[in-house]
Amino acid sequence: MNKQMDSKILGLLNMLKGARGIAVISHVHPDGDAVGSVLGFYHFLKKIGKNTVAILKDGVPYQYSFLEGVNEVRNVLDCEGMDMCVLVDASEFARTGFEKPELPVIRIDHHKTGEFYSEHDLVITTAPATVSLILEILKRWNKDMIDEKIARMLYTGLLTDTVSFLHANSFPWAFRDALFLSSITSVEDIGSLVYERKRKAFYYLLVRALERLTFKFWEKLAYTYIKYEDFSETGASAEDTDGIVRHVISIEGVEVGVNFIEYEKGVWKLSVRGKGKIDLALLCEELGGGGHKNAAGCSIKGTLEQAVSEFLRIFDRWAKYL
Ligand code: 5GP
Ligand code: MN
């Protein structure tokens, strides 16, 4: 841990300690890191006697429903009694799906792109996951208060954001955190709880997505799509798209994989994954989105053809790095 981060966390801690009410919030379509960060931080704050609320506009996806306290997460932004709002694992407040409240906001995150809200924002792009930053804060605040429940929440974020320790963002910080968290409680079952409880509807969507695979740019770009109607026709919900883009990027020779998902009629949410040749956070930023170098996203309005051609138009400028 470098000195700069240490002093950053001290300033952040002073601000947190001085607040009586702290709302913890993350992005729409929350992933494991968003859920783990919100729940872990929320439970810690509650335990040390703060007034706190956990907020996720889309609630907790079923993949993470095994975590304790998921029923306490609210899907409305009610900041009554709150002195500040902590935005976790999201590059900007708009990603929460709510308007920014009239409260001081601090951002704790590891995304490369985004907005800053306070001098105490803790944005460390080398952190394996946002839960790793939460863990650093909790350790300095009161290490003894990190209990089994909190450890499981944080481990879930770590496991999923590193894609089960597959990606380079895992080393060696992620392994140190995994060691620490697994010394507090047993976490061996979490991988199976997250990844081996898929609903049949996931596979119905996956079959459609695989049938629609399209290759461009010397077969180094692969994309597929899920239409709005696919959800009702297969009985799938938004959570069932999770992991489909991994199949696209897992193809040999493919350097960038994209899933265009129409959650809302006429709005295509792009899940973009890469293997290191192109900085996808920067590419997606050109389309109003952001994320990480190898995992990013954005939204494009219009028909499928329009969304695809808009993406290809931007991609064309990056294709020289393939
Ligand atoms: P996913 O494909 O799993 O939805 O997102 C991949 C990564 O990109 C995540 O870290 C997510 O937070 C980020 N991301 C996805 N969509 C957007 C977006 O529209 N704007 C920004 N700033 N980040 C996004
Ligand atoms: Mn994350």
Side-chain angles (χ1 to χ4, degrees):
M1 207 57 48
N2 64 39
K3 281 213 175 85
Q4 198 194 355
M5 181 158 140
D6 253 346
S7 68
K8 197 92 213 207
I9 292 183
L10 279 181
L12 173 68
L13 267 181
N14 279 336
M15 189 167 171
L16 290 168
K17 285 179 181 172
R20 276 164 308 157
I22 303 173
V24 190
I25 189 164
S26 190
H27 58 82
V28 287
H29 300 299
D31 55 13
D33 198 22
V35 172
S37 297
V38 166
L39 279 181
F41 202 26
Y42 164 78
H43 277 281
F44 180 90
L45 291 172
K46 211 166 72 163
K47 197 165 165 178
I48 61 166
K50 293 280 180 196
N51 185 12
T52 178
V53 284
I55 304 166
L56 291 169
K57 188 165 189 199
D58 294 334
V60 177
Y62 78 92
Q63 290 94 322
Y64 312 111
S65 57
F66 64 90
L67 290 170
E68 272 191 61
V70 291
N71 299 331
E72 292 167 46
V73 174
R74 303 187 192 174
N75 56 9
V76 289
L77 182 68
D78 179 5
C79 288
E80 210 187 308
M82 298 294 126
D83 299 317
M84 62 182 293
C85 189
V86 179
L87 173 68
V88 296
D89 196 45
S91 50
E92 57 201 36
F93 203 90
R95 294 262 299 132
T96 63
F98 298 107
E99 299 255 318
K100 191 173 145 314
E102 293 292 314
L103 280 179
V105 170
I106 56 166
R107 175 179 160 219
I108 301 172
D109 190 17
H110 66 144
H111 287 100
K112 196 173 161 139
T113 55
E115 291 177 357
F116 287 85
Y117 298 96
S118 125
E119 59 175 316
H120 300 303
D121 284 359
L122 185 67
V123 180
I124 311 278
T125 55
T126 51
T130 300
V131 289
S132 295
L133 297 172
I134 304 287
L135 181 59
E136 291 305 320
I137 295 166
L138 304 193
K139 275 182 179 169
R140 282 166 181 76
W141 198 331
N142 189 341
K143 200 171 169 176
D144 297 335
M145 291 293 224
I146 307 174
D147 60 21
E148 298 180 2
K149 211 158 72 171
I150 295 169
R152 286 176 69 79
M153 292 161 180
L154 300 183
Y155 184 85
T156 300
L158 183 66
L159 180 77
T160 53
D161 239 38
T162 57
V163 194
S164 308
F165 304 99
L166 176 80
H167 283 158
N169 66 341
S170 314
F171 316 113
W173 185 347
F175 290 113
R176 282 200 301 268
D177 287 354
L179 186 62
F180 177 84
L181 295 169
S182 60
S183 73
I184 293 176
T185 186
S186 147
V187 293
E188 295 94 74
D189 56 329
I190 293 180
S192 178
L193 287 166
V194 173
Y195 294 114
E196 297 181 337
R197 286 190 307 127
K198 296 220 186 301
R199 301 189 286 214
K200 276 186 264 169
F202 164 82
Y203 290 97
Y204 300 150
L205 280 187
L206 180 62
V207 166
R208 292 185 180 209
L210 295 180
E211 280 170 355
R212 297 166 181 168
L213 270 174
T214 306
F215 297 86
K216 299 269 179 189
F217 294 97
W218 320 285
E219 306 217 327
K220 291 183 178 184
L221 169 68
Y223 69 84
T224 188
Y225 59 92
I226 306 282
K227 288 181 297 179
Y228 184 75
E229 293 76 22
D230 289 325
F231 291 103
S232 54
E233 287 170 16
T234 60
S237 58
E239 303 139 287
D240 295 306
T241 61
D242 192 44
I244 289 180
V245 72
R246 282 231 55 75
H247 291 269
V248 182
I249 190 59
S250 299
I251 300 167
E252 185 189 21
V254 168
E255 293 293 339
V256 177
V258 189
N259 192 7
F260 291 77
I261 311 167
E262 194 183 19
Y263 292 116
E264 198 186 319
K265 192 85 191 148
V267 184
W268 297 87
K269 175 81 197 41
L270 278 63
S271 261
V272 189
R273 298 292 183 274
K275 290 179 181 155
K277 293 218 167 130
I278 293 178
D279 191 327
L280 300 173
L282 298 182
L283 189 153
C284 285
E285 207 178 17
E286 288 192 37
L287 290 158
H292 304 289
K293 186 178 179 204
N294 288 330
C298 59
S299 293
I300 306 177
K301 288 196 178 132
T303 63
L304 175 64
E305 292 68 31
Q306 286 166 335
V308 169
S309 79
E310 176 63 359
F311 177 78
L312 294 180
R313 190 178 68 78
I314 300 293
F315 190 85
D316 192 56
R317 293 210 295 270
W318 293 82
K320 57 177 181 271
Y321 299 113
L322 286 174

